Amino acid sequence: MTLTKSLKAALLGLTALSLAGPAVADQLADVKAAGKIVTATDMHYAPFDMIIDGVYQGMTKDLFDGVTAELGVEPVYQDIPWTAELPGLEVGKFDIVIAPVTITSERLERYTFTIPIADATVSLIKPVNSDLVKPEDIKGKTVGVQQGTAQFKQLSAFGDSLGGVNVKEYGTNDEAFADLAAGRLDAVAASMPNATTLVKARPEHFALFEPAQFGDPTYFAWVLRPGDDSASLGDAINEALLKMTDDGRVKEIQEKWLGAYTELPREVPKN
């Protein structure tokens, strides 16, 4: 083959590649090729994520174990502080955040969400001997909440509507609950599953407000990076969750960890 013919062949090859367009990344294919999916969650968020006797347990783990079995890959569970999870996801330190993340309109613009895994509507907890009753009674009081959460934003907005609440932020719910038990807080705001789990476990110390919830209904879900490369993985996870819903596994897991079953949206809510 002459140099001219070689050059023409090379040019034709480049033209074909340019017409085909850039290769589209496919996170599902990458995960299946690796045989594993690397996760991030905060293992101090009962009843979803807990370390009991040195073993990771909780509703999140049971749900995700079922999903990964459907996908045919092994889950790699990592205990990451909540405030480092979404930033770490963005730079590719893990494939997915499975800590329950509240779906908000702002986050929908920035991330890819799965369908809901639980109700996340914010609720209020008080000491069992408190004379506070309804959510409006927290006006002028000191209320704890986990920093960087949607519950923090909802509490702040609700406090402003009441004319002022002293909001105190904590790294974890457990830290806030400890200060509530010690009398350093008047109340704690958390998602309904977190609140009911605490009160059920320690009824001698804590109680729910009546009604406990305030604000609009919200939901927890899992989070992937935005873009077309994550779409296939998100779709596969949603399909697995819907299959588990239809065959009763989600109901069984909810009843095990939450004590009751809540029917969830079958699509990602567009808040």
Side-chain angles (χ1 to χ4, degrees):
M1 182 181 288
T2 65
L3 179 61
T4 302
K5 289 183 178 179
S6 298
L7 181 58
K8 286 181 178 179
L11 290 172
L12 286 172
L14 290 172
T15 301
L17 286 173
S18 65
L19 290 174
V24 177
D26 185 338
Q27 194 179 10
L28 177 61
D30 293 342
V31 163
K32 288 197 170 185
K36 63 182 180 180
I37 181 168
V38 181
T39 76
T41 192
D42 179 353
M43 297 181 183
H44 308 275
Y45 200 69
F48 297 97
D49 302 273
M50 299 166 285
I51 297 176
I52 301 175
D53 297 328
V55 178
Y56 173 45
Q57 301 182 39
M59 181 174 163
T60 297
K61 184 178 184 300
D62 283 2
L63 283 172
F64 205 69
D65 279 350
V67 167
T68 53
E70 292 295 329
L71 298 183
V73 298
E74 292 295 323
V76 177
Y77 294 115
Q78 297 185 115
D79 187 9
I80 307 290
W82 160 244
T83 52
E85 289 177 20
L86 295 180
L89 177 71
E90 291 179 359
V91 298
K93 288 188 176 180
F94 19 82
D95 298 309
I96 186 172
V97 170
I98 59 169
V101 181
T102 305
I103 301 171
T104 67
S105 55
E106 295 84 4
R107 288 172 177 166
L108 283 168
E109 294 178 359
R110 191 167 181 175
Y111 304 104
T112 297
F113 276 84
T114 68
I115 61 175
I117 62 161
D119 179 6
T121 306
V122 66
S123 305
L124 287 168
I125 311 150
K126 62 182 180 178
V128 72
N129 59 355
S130 171
D131 58 2
L132 303 180
V133 179
K134 58 186 184 300
E136 291 76 12
D137 293 341
I138 65 172
K139 179 180 179 180
K141 304 298 184 181
T142 301
V143 182
V145 67
Q146 186 176 9
Q147 65 185 10
T149 61
Q151 287 72 36
F152 165 74
K153 290 186 177 181
Q154 291 170 292
L155 173 62
S156 298
F158 183 60
D160 289 344
S161 74
L162 297 177
V165 169
N166 179 24
V167 177
K168 188 173 182 181
E169 297 179 70
Y170 291 84
T172 68
N173 274 340
D174 288 348
E175 293 169 354
F177 298 153
D179 267 8
L180 183 63
R184 290 186 281 269
L185 295 172
D186 297 299
V188 168
S191 75
M192 191 62 176
N194 300 121
T196 54
T197 297
L198 175 71
V199 171
K200 182 179 178 181
R202 302 174 65 183
E204 72 279 9
H205 294 297
F206 303 112
L208 294 174
F209 280 59
E210 298 177 9
Q213 295 177 314
F214 64 86
D216 296 328
T218 55
Y219 297 96
F220 282 133
W222 298 327
V223 179
L224 299 101
R225 286 182 290 278
D228 292 340
D229 62 325
S230 294
S232 59
L233 180 57
D235 289 345
I237 290 171
N238 289 341
E239 288 175 10
L241 284 171
L242 289 174
K243 180 178 179 181
M244 292 171 64
T245 298
D246 293 340
D247 66 21
R249 280 179 286 171
V250 167
K251 181 176 185 291
E252 182 180 340
I253 291 169
Q254 280 196 23
E255 290 177 343
K256 172 183 176 181
W257 294 105
L258 304 180
Y261 173 64
T262 300
E263 187 173 348
L264 300 170
R266 296 176 68 90
E267 297 181 347
V268 180
K270 305 300 182 184
N271 289 15

